[in-house]
């Protein structure tokens, strides 16, 4: 089955700096890659997603890039703010089996 | 999302007892999913359903059962066979097509008494 690896497990940045979280996936048939943000004790919230026919997608301070050849995708957060502090999860799914396989998460801490 | 309701928020299970977690959605989504989250870890798929009266096992289905008798409802039963049920259980729904986002409910936190 699909395996998604996520790095780093923890990331600390200064407010205003950029943060990058990377994920690799094993199943070349995967075609949908969402990113979720989860605050302590809360539900995961979808922040951005990318489909396999697109190489990059941006939404304000958040961007995601996808390299299908290398089977990896990354989340980029620019101008980080303290409210960006949370756990971020990447995930992958493929046609047919649409359930998500999640990475293990990255705890991002933005220092004011 | 306001359209996915999980209940109860907290649940305690006695040894040997089956408990059922409720998940209801009013988003008219075809697909529904159950995930388990252990402290400090990612989400793991328990069961999913892409259409009424049909469901498939996920990666950690042992000790769990589900039903999908109505489009809007996908209850999860944690049976006594699940020896380590303490976790945060999250239900999600989606339109069910390929490359469609899933949105989560607020979760149920299950603990052993």
């Amino acid at each position: 089955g699909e395996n998604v690896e996520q790095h780093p497990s923890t990331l600390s940045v200064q407010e205003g700096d950029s943060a990058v979280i990377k994920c690799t996936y094993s199943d070349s048939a995967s075609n949908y890659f969402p990113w979720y943000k989860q605050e302590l004790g809360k539900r995961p919230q979808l922040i951005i997603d990318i489909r396999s026919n697109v190489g990059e997608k941006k939404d304000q301070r958040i961007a995601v890039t996808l390299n299908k050849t290398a089977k990896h995708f990354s989340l980029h957060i620019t101008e980080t703010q303290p409210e960006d502090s949370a756990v971020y999860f990447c995930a992958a799914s493929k046609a047919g089996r649409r359930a998500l396989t999640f990475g293990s998460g990255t705890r991002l801490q933005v220092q004011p | 999302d306001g359209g996915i309701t999980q209940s109860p928020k907290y649940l305690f299970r006695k040894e040997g007892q089956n408990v059922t977690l409720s998940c209801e959605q009013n988003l008219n989504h075809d697909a529904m999913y159950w995930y388990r989250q252990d402290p400090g870890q990612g989400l793991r798929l328990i069961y999913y359903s892409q259409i009424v009266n049909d469901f498939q096992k996920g990666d950690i289905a042992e000790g769990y059962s589900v039903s999908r008798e109505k489009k809007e409802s996908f209850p999860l039963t944690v049976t006594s066979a699940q020896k380590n049920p303490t976790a945060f259980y999250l239900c999600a729904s989606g339109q069910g097509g390929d490359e469609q986002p899933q949105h989560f409910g607020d979760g149920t936190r299950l603990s052993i008494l």
Side-chain angles (χ1 to χ4, degrees):
Chain A
E2 173 70 280
N3 183 47
V4 176
E5 294 192 357
Q6 183 172 346
H7 301 281
S9 57
T10 60
L11 180 59
S12 181
V13 300
Q14 291 295 125
E15 183 176 357
D17 287 350
S18 295
V20 180
I21 302 170
K22 298 181 180 180
C23 289
T24 59
Y25 61 98
S26 61
D27 192 336
S28 57
S30 291
N31 60 358
Y32 176 66
F33 307 93
W35 285 88
Y36 288 86
K37 174 184 180 182
Q38 187 179 32
E39 296 178 3
L40 190 63
K42 301 287 183 63
R43 72 174 82 182
Q45 292 193 305
L46 179 69
I47 56 171
I48 196 167
D49 58 9
I50 191 167
R51 291 159 178 83
S52 58
N53 59 346
V54 176
E56 183 176 2
K57 182 177 179 181
K58 286 185 180 179
D59 183 3
Q60 299 183 344
R61 297 186 296 109
I62 294 174
V64 57
T65 58
L66 171 65
N67 183 327
K68 285 193 298 181
T69 303
K71 291 190 284 188
H72 67 70
F73 56 112
S74 300
L75 177 71
H76 304 252
I77 306 175
T78 59
E79 300 173 24
T80 52
Q81 301 167 4
E83 51 265 39
D84 293 330
S85 297
V87 179
Y88 291 81
F89 292 98
C90 63
S93 70
K94 63 181 180 182
R97 186 185 193 267
R98 298 162 186 145
L100 295 169
T101 300
F102 282 83
S104 54
T106 296
R107 183 172 301 277
L108 173 65
Q109 189 166 11
V110 180
Q111 307 282 357
Chain B
D1 291 353
I4 303 171
T5 303
Q6 288 188 243
S7 62
K9 189 171 183 178
Y10 299 96
L11 186 59
F12 298 90
R13 195 193 88 169
K14 295 179 182 179
E15 205 162 323
Q17 184 182 42
N18 293 354
V19 292
T20 297
L21 285 59
S22 171
C23 179
E24 304 276 332
Q25 54 99 0
N26 61 5
L27 302 169
N28 200 34
H29 284 166
D30 286 318
M32 297 186 75
Y33 310 84
W34 275 106
Y35 295 90
R36 169 179 170 143
Q37 187 175 31
D38 292 283
Q41 298 188 31
L43 284 71
R44 293 183 290 166
L45 180 68
I46 305 172
Y47 268 98
Y48 64 107
S49 168
Q50 299 194 32
I51 197 168
V52 175
N53 292 323
D54 187 43
F55 49 83
Q56 289 79 40
K57 291 182 178 180
D59 301 318
I60 54 166
E62 186 175 350
Y64 300 97
S65 66
V66 293
S67 63
R68 185 86 188 277
E69 297 176 1
K70 298 186 297 182
K71 186 175 185 177
E72 58 270 23
S73 179
F74 191 40
L76 173 74
T77 296
V78 184
T79 74
S80 57
Q82 173 49 248
K83 297 306 179 188
N84 184 22
T86 298
F88 190 39
Y89 290 86
L90 287 155
C91 176
S93 72
Q95 290 182 346
D98 292 339
E99 306 174 356
Q100 292 298 317
Q102 294 177 26
H103 299 277
F104 286 85
D106 284 331
T108 293
R109 197 167 297 279
L110 175 62
S111 302
I112 294 288
L113 273 180

